[in-house]
Amino acid sequence: MATKASIGTALKKHVRKYTLNDKLRSITSLLGNDAQNVIDWAYEEAKRQIAENPEDKESNLGRIVFHLIGNEAAIILVKKNHARGRLTTKSEIKAKTGNKMEMPVLYREAGLRHPQEARNLRHNLFHEAFHALIMHLFPDVSTRVPVTGEGLTPDLIVEHKNPDWLISVEYKGYRSITLLSESEFLKAMRYQAAYGTAWLVTTSAKSVKDVYRKTIHSKEVVERGFERLKRIYKKRAYTSEQRENRGIARKGISHLEKQKDLDMKCRLWTANELLDSMKAGKPVKGLIITTGFEFIELLKEAGLDEEADNVLRVMKLPTTSLHSNKVTSVRLIE
């Protein structure tokens, strides 16, 4: 039986030291009849890693073995859940194996594609296109990606010296033909309050100018959001897509509930107004929201046809069809 597998001294010490008995039982249960073979392989692999890596010590043998068998168990769990139509979460992996995993990487090891990987690919294709555009229009700017811990973290900061100016940029690169969610508006308004100028570049096919006046107020965004999302949530759901839309609406309502006390307002500008002001050395203060087709037009005007095609692919292609040989999809660009 798998639970009676011989685990060896090093693994036994590691499990005892960190009270991992329950995790080990869970791992061997997932491994089933292959548990002993996996443990034996893990010892050999761990010894090889220690021999090849001077930073690893012999005393780390048990820890490495535990991680290796946990990773194999996690792959099996992902496959089992996928066969039942379930998504495996990072917290489930941690609870059942004790390992912290990058879920897109784990899915890839299991021969599957994680939804997060598709999201990252969309984001990164969008990033490459926008970065190419901004560097084409303003070759002397510098860009940086804010990291968690700096406070508000838009997707990109664009800075210029002499004259000194700065704008924040957020991408929303999803397959979408509907208006942006109100939560994204509110996020962009917070970036605008923090940085002065916020450019929200999207794949939405509809323009915000048709919905809001020149000045946008957070309370109006929240009110309109509640109206729209409650209409969706109250509709009867007969198909899986309709049920998914109801779930998204419910989540959106909860997001707006948390932000209903926000009291911010800012001015809306067009992308051309922003670009003209940047060329003049003083970006307009406010929020700029660019739809997918507007972004594609800017890219084509700059002669960036390949980047324009990539943005159109993000807009049009479903998750399973989107791929790229040039742009990474496992991690967000940092």
Side-chain angles (χ1 to χ4, degrees):
M1 294 292 291
T3 53
K4 295 181 180 178
S6 174
I7 66 173
T9 304
L11 180 56
K12 189 179 296 182
K13 285 182 178 178
H14 180 76
V15 169
R16 187 187 306 124
K17 181 178 180 180
Y18 294 100
T19 323
L20 297 170
N21 301 77
D22 289 342
K23 295 290 188 293
L24 181 61
R25 278 194 292 271
S26 176
I27 289 170
T28 54
S29 177
L30 285 166
L31 294 174
N33 293 329
D34 291 328
Q36 188 64 64
N37 289 336
V38 172
I39 292 171
D40 293 342
W41 162 82
Y43 268 98
E44 293 301 317
E45 175 62 17
K47 289 173 183 176
R48 185 191 64 78
Q49 290 182 17
I50 291 171
E52 292 182 359
N53 188 354
E55 295 181 3
D56 278 330
K57 301 176 182 178
E58 191 67 32
S59 58
N60 292 332
L61 181 61
R63 174 182 59 79
I64 298 172
V65 169
F66 183 83
H67 175 79
L68 289 170
I69 65 173
N71 189 72
E72 293 300 309
I75 290 172
I76 291 173
L77 179 60
V78 165
K79 289 180 176 179
K80 284 183 176 179
N81 283 344
H82 182 75
R84 292 183 291 174
R86 283 191 55 215
L87 183 68
T88 308
T89 63
K90 184 180 290 188
S91 58
E92 184 180 10
I93 294 297
K94 183 72 165 60
K96 292 188 176 180
T97 72
N99 281 356
K100 292 181 180 179
M101 305 294 297
E102 288 283 351
M103 297 311 295
V105 175
L106 178 59
Y107 263 66
R108 181 171 288 184
E109 289 178 352
L112 303 169
R113 191 173 190 187
H114 191 269
Q116 179 75 16
E117 183 176 353
R119 172 187 174 271
N120 288 358
L121 179 56
R122 293 177 188 280
H123 175 101
N124 292 351
L125 285 169
F126 220 73
H127 170 87
E128 297 286 355
F130 183 85
H131 193 266
L133 175 66
I134 207 71
M135 297 309 295
H136 172 84
L137 296 174
F138 304 95
D140 52 348
V141 298
S142 61
T143 62
R144 62 183 175 88
V145 178
V147 296
T148 304
E150 288 187 21
L152 288 173
T153 53
D155 286 323
L156 195 71
I157 296 293
V158 179
E159 294 181 84
H160 188 277
K161 298 295 182 184
N162 193 27
D164 293 342
W165 52 258
L166 175 151
I167 69 167
S168 60
V169 184
E170 178 79 359
Y171 324 124
K172 287 299 157 193
Y174 302 129
R175 183 173 181 242
S176 172
I177 57 171
T178 58
L179 196 64
L180 281 171
S181 77
E182 291 73 16
S183 293
E184 304 303 342
F185 279 35
L186 296 171
K187 183 192 292 184
M189 291 180 75
R190 291 199 299 273
Y191 292 149
Q192 189 278 323
Y195 295 101
T197 303
W199 191 359
L200 179 58
V201 190
T202 81
T203 48
S204 171
K206 293 184 181 180
S207 171
V208 70
K209 292 188 289 292
D210 298 333
V211 181
Y212 293 98
R213 296 181 293 274
K214 193 66 177 175
T215 298
I216 185 172
H217 198 289
S218 58
K219 291 191 180 297
E220 181 186 7
V221 174
V222 171
E223 288 173 6
R224 285 179 176 271
F226 277 135
E227 290 174 6
R228 183 179 71 87
L229 294 170
K230 285 178 179 177
R231 280 199 305 270
I232 296 172
Y233 185 64
K234 287 178 180 178
K235 290 181 180 178
R236 291 186 177 182
Y238 299 101
T239 67
S240 58
E241 184 176 351
Q242 289 171 335
R243 286 192 291 272
E244 184 179 352
N245 286 338
R246 287 194 70 204
I248 292 170
R250 184 173 63 248
K251 186 176 181 181
I253 290 169
S254 68
H255 282 173
L256 293 181
E257 285 284 355
K258 296 173 184 176
Q259 302 180 81
K260 64 183 179 182
D261 294 329
L262 285 178
D263 189 9
M264 298 183 297
K265 67 178 180 180
C266 63
R267 186 167 181 181
L268 287 174
W269 300 91
T270 67
N272 285 330
E273 287 173 326
L274 170 64
L275 293 174
D276 287 344
S277 68
M278 290 164 69
K279 291 172 184 174
K282 192 174 182 181
V284 291
K285 300 297 182 184
L287 174 60
I288 299 86
I289 300 179
T290 301
T291 67
F293 291 123
E294 289 170 343
F295 183 38
I296 288 171
E297 193 60 33
L298 288 172
L299 291 165
K300 288 183 175 179
E301 288 174 2
L304 301 169
D305 292 335
E306 183 179 351
E307 286 79 2
D309 287 343
N310 279 339
V311 173
L312 187 61
R313 288 169 61 220
V314 168
M315 293 177 67
K316 298 289 186 181
L317 291 178
T319 296
T320 53
S321 302
L322 194 67
H323 68 280
S324 174
N325 294 326
K326 296 181 179 179
V327 180
T328 180
S329 61
V330 173
R331 285 178 175 272
L332 295 177
I333 290 176
E334 296 179 349

